[in-house]
Amino acid sequence: MEGTRVCDICGREHPISELLEFGDVLLCAECLRTETVVCERCGTRIWNDDNEGDSETPLCGRCYDRYYTTCTDCGRTIHQDDAYYIDEDDYDARCYTCHCRHADHRVIHDYYYKPEPIFYGEGKRYFGVELEIDDAGESNPNAEKILRIANQDHEQVYIKHDGSLNEGMEIVTHPMTLDYHLHQMPWAAILNKAKELGYLSHQAGTCGLHVHINRTAFGETEEDQEAVIARILYFFEKHWEELLKFSRRTQKQLRRWADRYGLKEHPKQVLDVAKGSQERYMCVNLTNYHTVEFRIFRGTLKLNTLIATLQLLDRTCDVAINLSDDELKDLSWTTFVAGCAHLPELVQYLKERRLYINEPVMAEAEV
């Protein structure tokens, strides 16, 4: 007959065949289940007291030290690849949930931070500006100084990390009408403070000026919106050489950060190419659900250039909405800029870039 032995944990007798050896002790199946766990990473069985992870992710000490860490806020065990830090000098690891909660109190947010938009101004067309600045550090004190100017009365601006920059950050506005940007956003003071702190944008060579416009500005239905977007894309392709000059980018920079789709015979054909690519690093990025992003422009700390960029996009939207496909195809650059005469900032910039009916002017240097 089969003999019995006592489980070293619970003290009850069990048939020897039902006992399991673990280390230098014999355990019944129930005690093995309740007193030990299997390392999530390597499969080694360990005592509960030796579990360096948590109940959801049990880990032996070796695997925890090599691959895991603990969220500072909630105590959850997380893989090192899934840990978030405020900056490279921060030792407090956080899981994604706690990181997002903590980010609400940060000065410089992570790249993926996206708050609920606040719309400023009255109208249908809203412009969200992303202005990259570089060369003076991703600095919380500097960011606080810029935000103090930008957000005196309302939260109009937030600042984000951008990995494409060397020593800088990205200034992002909430959606605003063009009139609000022109007359209520303290752009002059923001740009002057950035320059005072030692930042560059155009001259840094790493920075872009990206502008988002809400898709609903192009029509009430998706069909109407896509027809207008198709004409915008066609306009960019037809007048690529002029817009290249306007952008202050080099061909190499555009190929990397804001490439073109290629001119086709009809606007819808350009749209079909754009929708098929699903690539965000294009002159006009269509991968966002609520907005169309214009990425072609080089960064700037020069107020007139910033305003002129918004006015150019506003004028482009106007012609794409009001002209038919055939009328847009017949629209020359000269005719387009002739319709900008009531926009002094845009006219000044067009003249500076030798793009306004052969009327060059002397220009201040870009920053």
Side-chain angles (χ1 to χ4, degrees):
M1 293 180 62
E2 180 182 7
T4 61
R5 288 282 301 272
V6 172
C7 169
D8 290 330
I9 296 297
C10 67
R12 294 195 296 268
E13 286 193 357
H14 296 271
I16 294 176
S17 62
E18 295 180 5
L19 294 173
L20 301 169
E21 187 174 355
F22 179 62
D24 56 355
V25 298
L26 287 176
L27 302 178
C28 65
E30 178 64 16
C31 288
L32 186 74
R33 184 183 67 81
T34 59
E35 300 296 325
T36 69
V37 291
V38 174
C39 174
E40 182 82 11
R41 179 81 187 191
C42 69
T44 300
R45 185 171 290 278
I46 55 176
W47 293 106
N48 287 343
D49 290 343
D50 294 329
N51 178 13
E52 295 292 330
D54 55 28
S55 58
E56 293 185 4
T57 311
L59 296 164
C60 67
R62 179 175 178 273
C63 287
Y64 177 87
D65 291 341
R66 293 187 65 179
Y67 303 109
Y68 289 81
T69 188
T70 299
C71 175
T72 299
D73 290 359
C74 70
R76 176 186 166 199
T77 299
I78 48 177
H79 195 283
Q80 290 175 5
D81 291 345
D82 297 326
Y84 289 80
Y85 300 87
I86 293 177
D87 53 50
E88 60 184 13
D89 297 322
D90 183 30
Y91 295 99
D92 292 334
R94 291 180 174 85
C95 65
Y96 181 72
T97 300
C98 292
H99 174 70
C100 291
R101 188 180 302 117
H102 188 77
D104 291 338
H105 306 288
R106 292 173 56 195
V107 179
I108 301 176
H109 299 281
D110 68 80
Y111 178 76
Y112 295 102
Y113 176 73
K114 191 173 182 181
E116 190 70 23
I118 305 170
F119 292 84
Y120 290 97
E122 297 296 328
K124 294 183 178 180
R125 191 179 301 165
Y126 290 86
F127 299 78
V129 171
E130 299 172 349
L131 174 61
E132 296 168 352
I133 58 177
D134 209 346
D135 284 13
E138 186 177 307
S139 162
N140 282 327
N142 286 352
E144 286 178 337
K145 292 173 184 175
I146 292 172
L147 290 173
R148 200 172 299 128
I149 293 171
N151 297 337
Q152 289 183 9
D153 300 316
H154 310 283
E155 184 191 333
Q156 302 178 129
V157 165
Y158 52 96
I159 293 179
K160 294 168 47 174
H161 163 81
D162 192 316
S164 69
L165 305 176
N166 297 323
E167 290 290 336
M169 49 197 176
E170 184 177 58
I171 301 170
V172 185
T173 75
H174 282 277
M176 302 170 179
T177 62
L178 179 60
D179 184 74
Y180 196 96
H181 276 289
L182 286 170
H183 300 116
Q184 297 190 60
M185 254 297 284
W187 273 120
I190 292 171
L191 301 181
N192 286 335
K193 176 55 70 173
K195 289 184 283 188
E196 178 187 310
L197 294 169
Y199 288 99
L200 300 173
S201 190
H202 174 95
Q203 292 182 12
T206 55
C207 299
L209 168 60
H210 305 156
V211 181
H212 289 257
I213 298 179
N214 55 304
R215 287 177 179 258
T216 53
F218 306 135
E220 294 184 359
T221 68
E222 184 176 353
E223 182 180 5
D224 290 340
Q225 292 169 17
E226 290 202 344
V228 173
I229 292 169
R231 288 192 284 273
I232 290 173
L233 294 174
Y234 186 89
F235 178 87
F236 267 69
E237 296 298 335
K238 179 181 179 181
H239 301 293
W240 184 258
E241 293 304 319
E242 291 86 357
L243 290 170
L244 174 60
K245 285 184 180 180
F246 191 103
S247 75
R248 293 165 289 111
R249 297 266 204 182
T250 65
Q251 289 277 15
K252 182 178 180 181
Q253 288 172 330
L254 287 181
R255 281 194 295 271
R256 181 177 182 185
W257 301 112
D259 206 358
R260 64 186 302 183
Y261 293 107
L263 181 62
K264 304 297 179 183
E265 186 175 352
H266 297 290
K268 187 179 183 304
Q269 292 175 328
V270 186
L271 178 64
D272 289 341
V273 173
K275 290 171 66 177
S277 75
Q278 288 299 301
E279 170 59 57
R280 65 182 297 265
Y281 293 113
M282 306 299 291
C283 57
V284 183
N285 168 30
L286 303 184
T287 63
N288 299 299
Y289 183 75
H290 294 292
T291 66
V292 172
E293 180 189 20
F294 298 86
R295 299 178 50 88
I296 191 173
F297 309 106
R298 189 167 179 162
T300 184
L301 294 180
K302 186 176 172 184
L303 178 62
N304 192 83
T305 300
L306 175 61
I307 298 304
T309 300
L310 297 179
Q311 290 175 334
L312 174 88
L313 291 176
D314 193 57
R315 169 81 174 132
T316 302
C317 291
D318 283 344
V319 299
I321 290 171
N322 295 317
L323 299 185
S324 67
D325 286 2
D326 289 337
E327 289 171 333
L328 184 79
K329 289 168 66 175
D330 291 337
L331 181 69
S332 68
W333 181 260
T334 301
T335 302
F336 173 77
V337 298
C340 303
H342 63 294
L343 304 170
E345 294 87 359
L346 179 54
V347 169
Q348 171 68 20
Y349 183 77
L350 289 168
K351 289 179 178 180
E352 291 175 359
R353 302 302 296 170
R354 307 298 195 267
L355 289 168
Y356 189 79
I357 320 174
N358 298 320
E359 290 188 29
V361 298
M362 294 299 295
E364 294 181 9
E366 290 284 349
V367 184

